[in-house]
Amino acid sequence: MSTFLHRVAHWAFRRRRTVVLVWVAALAAVFLGAANSSEAPEDSASLPGIESQQAFDLLDERFPGTEADGAQARVVFVAADGQQVTSTANRSAVDTLVDEVADGPQVAGATSPFDAHAVSEDASTAYATITYRTTADDLTEASKEALTEAVEHARDAGLAVEVGGSALETEPAQGIGEVLGILVAAAVLLITFGSLAAAGLPLLTAVLGVGISLATITALGSALGFSSTVGELAMMLGLAVGIDYSLFVVSRYREERGKGHQAQEAAALAVGTAGSAVVFAGLTVVIALLGLSVVGVPTLTKMGIGSAGTVLVGVLIALTAVPALLGFWPDAVLPRRDREDPRRTRSRRPGRFGRNRIRNWTWNWNRQVTTPAGTARTPWGVRWARFVTRRPVAVLLLTVVGLGALAVPSLNLRMGMPGAESKPTTTTERRAYDALADGFGPGFNGPLTVVVDVKDADDPAAAVTGVSDRLADIEGIVSVSPPHFNEAKDTAVVSAVPSTGPAGEQTQDLVRTIRDERPAIESATGAEFQVTGTTALNIDVGRKMQDALVPYLAVVVGLAFLLLMVVFRSILVPVKAALGFLLSVGAALGAIVTVFQEGHGAGVFGVEETGPIMSTMPIFLVGIVFGLAMDYQVFLVSRIREAHIHGEQPGQAVVTGFRHSAQVVGAAALIMMAVFGGFMTGGESMVKMVGFGLASAVFFDAFVVRMAFVPAVLALLGKRAWWLPGRLDRLLPRVDVEGEALTRRAPAPDDASGDDDRRESVTV
């Protein structure tokens, strides 16, 4: 592998103009395709294999012309203090609104609260239901404006009017996630490298990769069903891994130049070593993303495919575009002192306190140097590695106990889909939600939709009445609406209102109770029924995610284990990697529950309302973080193994590996945290949850697991960490990620005795 990539980088360096032109042409081609492509489809809510989806499908079949997920507006009227909505003036205003909206071209029906008994007991609150023949995404601006104008007319009459439902759903405020992430990444790169060119190169290549990927997703959106959500996740991951992969190659290039190699050979060595790690790190991310197809949710499958393609583009750019760009400016990415004196034979004068001193400190923060003041300073990576390898048991116990304690709240995880209750109080949906809860009870916002199939019943009307009566007798049901039949009179829909809110555990227990009693009800009435609605859908989705988690972990972890076993030629190292990943994911999930479900520190992160955790969040977190965690595993441990196979003792190899990689891994983690954390600036609760979860998982994995757990375990295992049975050693292919073959064949540097070619001797 390293020899092949070495040749690729040599070719890219020599043919740099051709390589850059090919990438620019690819960018232009996909942008042209995106500009001429059809509009991307909206996210599909279809979840095959669950009862709620089967009920929706039955509604679509038996109620033609009205989609089960059609747009709906619930207009809530609240009378002023001391008044009632049933007064003559208020009643007239309500009827006028219903009449105005009913004439809309896309309106399927408009039900007055006075005809549907939708008035609260104290007559302070009422609601009108407006249904549409199409989905919310297909509503025309004319239909939305007609509803908005009618609402304003009612408000002018003195009523407080709010609109819930999907018809006028407020778009969440757009954050500055992408911009903020890039700005923080630029600052981290500048501090890490101390060079504008070295900081700008990873940013440039990452933006190139994201541009190509997003344009490709847009161009293929109509054909493959890629929605805007696929592009958002691809952009998030593309920026993170694109910057990181280029960062690793550029960092290794600077290291090889520091040893005295010419620019072309340094670029080839960087791609042959760090590039090999990039390939296998990228493969682990791709495995984790493509593994989302195991879940059986079409939306997650498409998100995984689109994001996996983005990661592959990032890998290819790091292997080809980065060495090509280094060929144009071979010295620009080096520190100024190296550009002025590549051989470092010139004596250096202590710089004044300012940019010279900062430049020296930033470039050398992970190396043992002499500062301008003349005092020796051991790099923090070496100091920390020495500390861990001297006290491995204490560090290991502290790490496991600490992450385990952070993971404890995840045992109380409640899954669901945040609704109007999680929106800011400034939105009309949230105000409508609160008004309905105050006027009709907390369960009114989460009614259970029961679809009754009486196609084979002798007396359809009596069968539906029997089902309604049985439902009304179940404890926890407040009321059951009159049945609504289709034209064929073989299907009816009734709405059962629970006594508790849609996100409450009691409501979830109620759904399970109804389904448990279904055989008896169906036997007594001769009708079949299915339960759907928001609450039931959340339960079904959560159960589907839980059932899919174990197979997903088995597929992803199994394939990644085999891949890491090939990379590190060890059994215990992949086991350690998997255990560390579980610790970081558990801690991240516990942090999500603490903030978004229990509300501790919610105000700090702009979370206005706590509630259940998004049903897809655990499996989504597992998939994304597993791939990213293996990035750090490959980059860090490959340097440790490289030192070990070159003759260093296990403890010394750990310190040497940290000496070369701690700086880069730390910078890469900070960049990923910035990119993911930047998405918390948006107004959408689910996006905040995803950004917070990924950022916290990267922090725990990079700075706790990889920097403490991994070196402690390797120190305790010693040489046993690299044990591999002889028969398995002969069966596994040799990929040479560490570049041992390159070390034997690489030409000697110009000056092998330069200052930066010294190897620190460490005894642990």
Side-chain angles (χ1 to χ4, degrees), residues 259-260 343 748-758:
K259 295 177 181 178
R343 298 283 296 275
D750 293 343
D751 183 7
S753 60
D755 293 342
D756 281 348
D757 200 33
R758 296 171 304 183

Side-chain angles (χ1 to χ4, degrees), residues 66 71-73 98 101-102 104 106-112 128-133:
T66 302
Q72 184 185 76
V98 173
V101 176
Q106 293 180 302
V107 176
T111 306
S112 169
T129 302
I130 317 297
T131 57
Y132 293 86
R133 296 189 181 93

Side-chain angles (χ1 to χ4, degrees), residues 89-90 93 97 100 148-161:
N90 289 336
L97 181 147
E100 287 184 23
T148 303
E149 290 177 2
V151 168
E152 291 299 328
H153 293 161
R155 287 173 177 167
D156 294 339
L159 284 170
V161 186

Side-chain angles (χ1 to χ4, degrees), residues 482-649:
H484 172 59
F485 280 90
N486 63 344
E487 292 184 4
K489 303 298 182 181
D490 61 358
T491 308
V493 178
V494 297
S495 179
V497 178
S499 59
T500 52
E505 292 186 43
Q506 299 92 331
T507 308
Q508 297 183 9
D509 293 337
L510 175 62
V511 172
R512 297 187 182 96
T513 299
I514 293 174
R515 289 174 172 172
D516 290 341
E517 296 187 10
R518 175 166 44 199
I521 297 175
E522 291 180 343
S523 176
T525 61
E528 298 179 355
F529 70 89
Q530 294 173 317
V531 183
T532 185
T534 303
T535 303
L537 180 63
N538 290 340
I539 294 173
D540 292 342
V541 172
R543 185 174 301 163
K544 187 178 182 67
M545 296 299 106
Q546 290 177 347
D547 294 341
L549 185 58
V550 173
Y552 175 68
L553 277 174
V555 171
V556 172
V557 175
L559 291 176
F561 180 88
L562 293 176
L563 188 65
L564 293 178
M565 192 163 57
V566 171
V567 172
F568 297 118
R569 310 202 68 76
S570 165
I571 292 180
L572 295 179
V573 169
V575 170
K576 167 196 60 64
L579 293 177
F581 154 74
L582 293 176
L583 286 173
S584 59
V585 167
L589 195 57
I592 293 174
V593 172
T594 299
V595 175
F596 289 86
Q597 180 177 304
E598 299 177 353
H600 302 297
V604 177
F605 299 100
V607 181
E608 298 193 15
E609 188 72 22
T610 59
I613 304 304
M614 184 172 61
S615 298
T616 55
M617 186 67 200
I619 202 163
F620 181 80
L621 185 72
V622 166
I624 302 300
V625 174
F626 182 82
L628 299 180
M630 294 305 103
D631 274 4
Y632 305 126
Q633 170 74 13
V634 171
F635 289 122
L636 179 62
V637 180
S638 63
R639 292 308 297 263
I640 296 175
R641 186 172 188 274
E642 180 179 346
H644 177 68
I645 66 175
H646 288 165
E648 296 187 9
Q649 294 299 312

